[in-house]
Amino acid sequence: MLLKSKFKLATAIGIVLSVLSLLVHLFLANYSSGGIAKYSLHMDDVLPFGSKPRPRRLWGPLSALDHLHPYAKPRQNYPAPSQHNGFIYAKIYGGFEKIQSSICDLVAVARLLNATLVIPEIQATTRAKGISSNFKSFSYVYDEDHFIAALSSDVTIVRGLPKDLREARKTIKFPTVSPRNTATSEFYTTDVLPRLVKSRVIGIIVNGGKCLQSILPASLDELQRLRCRVAFHALKFRPEIRTLGSQIVGRLRASGRPYLAYHPGLLRDTLAFHGCAELFQDIHTELIQYRRSQMIKRGTVKEQLSVDSVSVKMNGSCPLMPEEVGLLLQALGYPSTTIIYLAGSETFGGQRVLIPLRAMYANLVDRTSLCSQRELSDLVGPEAPLSSDMPHPPPSKSEKELIEEWKKAGPRPRPLPPPPARPFYAHEKEGWYGWIGENDTEPDPSPIEFRRQAHRLLWDALDYFVSVQADAFFPGFHNDGSGWPDYSSLIMGHRLYQTPSGITYRPDRKTVATLFENVSDHLYHPPRNWTMAARQHLNNSAGIEGIKMSAMMSKPASFLAHPLPECTCRTAKSPAIQPVKDKHGELLLGGEECPDWMVRSLAMVSTRSNDPQSEDYEGELPEDDSSQDTQQESDRRDSNKSSEQDEEMDPDD
């Protein structure tokens, strides 16, 4: 009896202790919950919300360029075209940047020859089978009605040839020309015009992105302004692209912060042309070399197949890698929470090359992360299904057929049948995955690849719209020296025309390569004088010095990359913008003053938009940037020292 009472007592004490332990644990959990919540992840760490100051040094506008304004209207007597010498139809090959540049040249050629221009045919869309029937060729990317109406006083534009001439074109009765990129105005007036007048119709095949030289004689300045009116006013994207682009811009700025657009410029053709294969690894190097060998066979590349990519990069002929761009943005003072929009339909190397940049700037986004799949598919429109080029599995057999095969299989015992073949996955047969490991020859593009090329035009147009509207733009590869129009240069030229005072960096890749060579041992912990040197170079590239360099290097390759001074004017009494000429006496910057009516309208707009919050934050830096304002004299002393001296004093400054 005594034993039972002791057992009951022990059980009761155990229950009481268990209840007390549970209460203590609940109390401790409730007490410590405040500390846990304190370190929880907030959305502000990813996309910072709330209005924050905009340092003018990082986001503009630049006061030195605040007096330049777009002005592409005709200056002299500019009558509407009256004489009609015939029709010009054109076929344009290439990607978005070549199409954009070629259309501007074709309009200028039509004006020069007093001819009627038929809406150009974009071959990247006509070769794609089964794309949306709602859009045809030119209208797949651009607003056709606006294009015709905007240029009605410059050039007569029609949607197609008259019926009789259309039938004759099918029998190839009309001459065609394929002009070089550097074709002069004399070539058209002396060679093309007589053939046009004789046959009434002539075709122009544009392969290299241009069909008229970039720099024209001073007597043809009106043709240069016509190019600007075409590129920056008449060539509007179709409404669906503009609507989705505006939505993307709104989503990027929804947090109340500005954003920076970045185009890597990592294209397989460009990398192969310059010989930058060794910047990549494994199979990507082989792909670049294969494309380079094709260019050598066609005569596009005159050099050898194997080149020293390191020396090519030191010469400034290879793009800046995303990791280098991230380090340069850090040197400029952009905080790690900066929103960066990744532009371009192709980034050779994929997400692998973007890993270092994404580690430095977590807010690296693109159209796929800002738009739903439904929004992107609506932009493409309804498309006819294509037959897949994937290998189909053998048809399944019925039980009766299997029994019959078993009976006819011969005497027993039989060897075991071979195991079933491994299934093929889509990624193993699409693109270069399907041939690089099996064949030495790249197959011809499949219907699916042609369709993807058409889709890339839409993605490039969408990213072009977002990049032009960006608060800052950083190119990974512009003015590459190939002579072809490049995507980044077109964006930079459009931004220079639309908002000259906006932040658009124009880094000299040769200078940047030298900077990285000097700090290769301390890449992520550079000396302070290296940071100041990189910051000074990039800030200068965004200002007047960068515009001067762009005028001498970019303009000869593409007028749209630097439409100054023909398509701009300056307000009176602007001492910061003085006419600047090169060694040949050609005007690089400055130009004529804006007309009085334009000055008055600009003054009214400036008065209305004068906001006390938009003060000049030029001296204010982000929270995690170095205290430049409090140590200006020390920075000047440090910037005069060499990197070797600085590393000896404090290599991890």
Side-chain angles (χ1 to χ4, degrees):
M1 190 70 181
L2 182 62
L3 183 61
K4 291 183 178 180
S5 61
K6 289 183 178 180
F7 180 77
K8 291 181 180 179
L9 180 61
T11 303
I13 293 174
I15 294 174
V16 171
L17 291 177
S18 299
V19 172
L20 290 176
S21 175
L22 180 62
L23 292 176
V24 170
H25 280 81
L26 291 175
F27 176 76
L28 291 176
N30 186 38
Y31 179 79
S32 60
S33 62
I36 295 175
K38 181 178 179 180
Y39 299 101
S40 61
L41 181 65
H42 293 283
M43 192 63 182
D44 290 359
D45 298 332
V46 180
L47 286 176
F49 290 93
S51 178
K52 299 292 182 69
R54 290 170 50 110
R56 176 171 286 191
R57 184 180 62 84
L58 299 180
W59 302 108
L62 297 175
S63 57
L65 301 172
D66 210 15
H67 301 284
L68 282 178
H69 303 281
Y71 185 48
K73 292 186 176 181
R75 310 289 200 271
Q76 304 170 357
N77 183 24
Y78 192 75
S82 56
Q83 184 181 1
H84 176 69
N85 291 326
F87 293 89
I88 295 177
Y89 71 90
K91 294 183 178 181
I92 303 176
Y93 293 87
F96 173 83
E97 60 278 358
K98 293 184 178 180
I99 293 170
Q100 185 93 351
S101 179
S102 299
I103 293 174
C104 300
D105 288 354
L106 288 170
V107 174
V109 168
R111 173 75 189 194
L112 180 66
L113 301 180
N114 287 325
T116 298
L117 178 65
V118 181
I119 290 287
E121 301 174 7
I122 299 176
Q123 296 304 300
T125 60
T126 57
R127 292 186 300 177
K129 297 180 180 180
I131 62 175
S132 177
S133 58
N134 299 338
F135 318 105
K136 181 181 178 182
S137 189
F138 187 89
S139 62
Y140 191 72
V141 180
Y142 300 104
D143 189 336
E144 196 171 280
D145 294 331
H146 177 80
F147 179 72
I148 296 174
L151 298 174
S152 57
S153 59
D154 298 295
V155 176
T156 303
I157 302 176
V158 295
R159 287 183 170 83
L161 291 170
K163 186 175 181 181
D164 56 335
L165 298 177
R166 195 182 315 129
E167 295 296 330
R169 180 189 169 185
K170 294 180 181 179
T171 59
I172 318 179
K173 289 186 177 180
F174 302 123
T176 59
V177 295
S178 183
R180 297 183 300 176
N181 290 358
T182 57
T184 62
S185 57
E186 289 80 8
F187 165 77
Y188 287 99
T189 54
T190 60
D191 189 13
V192 178
L193 182 58
R195 301 169 66 183
L196 173 63
V197 174
K198 181 179 179 180
S199 61
R200 294 179 58 198
V201 179
I202 196 169
I204 298 180
I205 312 294
V206 187
N207 287 301
K210 296 190 300 180
C211 59
L212 183 64
Q213 64 181 6
S214 298
I215 300 178
L216 297 175
S219 58
L220 298 178
D221 278 351
E222 291 301 336
L223 280 185
Q224 301 288 57
R225 297 187 186 97
L226 176 58
R227 279 171 160 172
C228 291
R229 291 197 294 276
V230 177
F232 309 135
H233 298 281
L235 277 180
K236 275 191 175 182
F237 301 126
R238 58 182 168 95
E240 295 84 358
I241 298 177
R242 300 200 306 268
T243 301
L244 185 56
S246 300
Q247 292 176 357
I248 292 177
V249 173
R251 292 165 187 171
L252 287 167
R253 291 177 174 158
S255 61
R257 296 235 181 172
Y259 73 94
L260 179 143
Y262 161 56
H263 179 246
L266 297 175
L267 308 177
R268 184 183 173 193
D269 287 345
T270 307
L271 295 168
F273 180 85
H274 293 284
C276 305
E278 295 177 7
L279 300 182
F280 296 85
Q281 297 177 357
D282 304 330
I283 199 168
H284 295 94
T285 300
E286 187 175 346
L287 287 167
I288 295 174
Q289 289 295 83
Y290 180 84
R291 182 59 56 86
R292 183 174 174 85
S293 65
Q294 289 180 317
M295 291 182 171
I296 293 175
K297 292 178 181 178
R298 292 196 301 262
T300 306
V301 176
K302 307 296 183 182
E303 301 173 354
Q304 297 179 352
L305 176 62
S306 299
V307 295
D308 185 4
S309 298
V310 176
S311 61
V312 173
K313 184 175 180 63
M314 292 300 298
N315 193 36
S317 297
C318 285
L320 298 175
M321 298 301 287
E323 180 183 17
E324 297 172 331
V325 172
L327 295 171
L328 292 175
L329 293 178
Q330 286 183 344
L332 281 167
Y334 285 96
S336 59
T337 55
T338 301
I339 303 173
I340 301 177
Y341 182 81
L342 184 68
S345 62
E346 177 188 355
T347 301
F348 189 78
Q351 295 295 322
R352 178 179 179 179
V353 299
L354 297 173
I355 290 176
L357 178 61
R358 199 179 297 276
M360 288 181 271
Y361 291 93
N363 293 345
L364 180 65
V365 296
D366 58 8
R367 62 184 175 278
T368 60
S369 57
L370 294 173
C371 302
S372 64
Q373 189 62 35
R374 176 66 180 274
E375 290 175 323
L376 296 177
S377 61
D378 289 345
L379 185 64
V380 171
E383 295 183 332
L386 288 176
S387 59
S388 176
D389 55 356
M390 296 283 296
H392 298 284
S396 58
K397 299 179 181 180
S398 64
E399 183 178 358
K400 183 178 180 180
E401 292 174 339
L402 292 175
I403 294 175
E404 291 296 329
E405 287 186 359
W406 178 263
K407 292 179 179 179
K408 297 177 182 179
R412 296 168 178 79
R414 305 187 189 94
L416 293 175
R422 183 180 65 84
F424 289 95
Y425 298 98
H427 68 272
E428 294 180 305
K429 288 296 179 182
E430 293 180 355
W432 51 266
Y433 289 97
W435 66 270
I436 193 67
E438 301 175 3
N439 303 318
D440 295 330
T441 304
E442 185 173 4
D444 295 332
S446 63
I448 294 179
E449 181 60 29
F450 280 127
R451 179 175 288 187
R452 290 198 188 99
Q453 291 177 7
H455 291 174
R456 290 190 192 108
L457 298 181
L458 298 179
W459 312 145
D460 281 333
L462 189 65
D463 292 347
Y464 183 94
F465 182 92
V466 177
S467 299
V468 169
Q469 303 295 328
D471 300 276
F473 179 75
F474 198 103
F477 201 33
H478 73 290
N479 188 27
D480 56 8
S482 63
W484 307 325
D486 64 271
Y487 189 81
S488 292
S489 294
L490 289 184
I491 294 176
M492 296 162 70
H494 197 150
R495 291 174 58 87
L496 181 60
Y497 170 81
Q498 182 172 295
T499 53
S501 59
I503 297 293
T504 302
Y505 296 103
R506 304 171 184 87
D508 183 356
R509 292 185 300 277
K510 188 174 182 179
T511 302
V512 173
T514 304
L515 286 172
F516 280 113
E517 183 71 14
N518 294 336
V519 76
S520 57
D521 295 335
H522 306 281
L523 199 59
Y524 282 86
H525 300 282
R528 182 175 180 80
N529 66 332
W530 183 93
T531 301
M532 299 305 300
R535 179 179 299 180
Q536 181 179 6
H537 169 70
L538 293 173
N539 286 336
N540 290 341
S541 72
I544 296 179
E545 293 299 325
I547 293 180
K548 293 179 184 178
M549 187 61 64
S550 175
M552 292 183 288
M553 300 185 66
S554 298
K555 191 171 184 177
S558 174
F559 172 76
L560 298 180
H562 187 87
L564 268 64
E566 292 87 351
C567 299
T568 57
C569 64
R570 58 186 178 91
T571 54
K573 300 179 181 179
S574 53
I577 303 296
Q578 296 297 332
V580 178
K581 297 183 179 181
D582 62 4
K583 59 182 180 180
H584 302 293
E586 296 290 337
L587 192 63
L588 301 178
L589 186 66
E592 59 187 88
E593 295 183 359
C594 298
D596 294 337
W597 63 267
M598 190 174 180
V599 174
R600 289 193 297 269
S601 62
L602 289 171
M604 293 177 61
V605 172
S606 178
T607 303
R608 292 175 183 175
S609 61
N610 189 14
D611 188 355
Q613 293 182 355
S614 59
E615 296 291 336
D616 187 353
Y617 291 99
E618 191 169 0
E620 183 176 348
L621 297 179
E623 296 176 0
D624 58 341
D625 192 20
S626 58
S627 56
Q628 182 182 5
D629 297 329
T630 59
Q631 298 181 0
Q632 290 181 353
E633 294 185 2
S634 176
D635 292 346
R636 293 194 196 98
R637 291 194 300 267
D638 289 343
S639 62
N640 293 330
K641 299 178 182 179
S642 64
S643 60
E644 291 82 0
Q645 293 174 335
D646 191 279
E647 290 176 7
E648 292 176 1
M649 294 174 60
D650 192 356
D652 293 323
D653 184 21

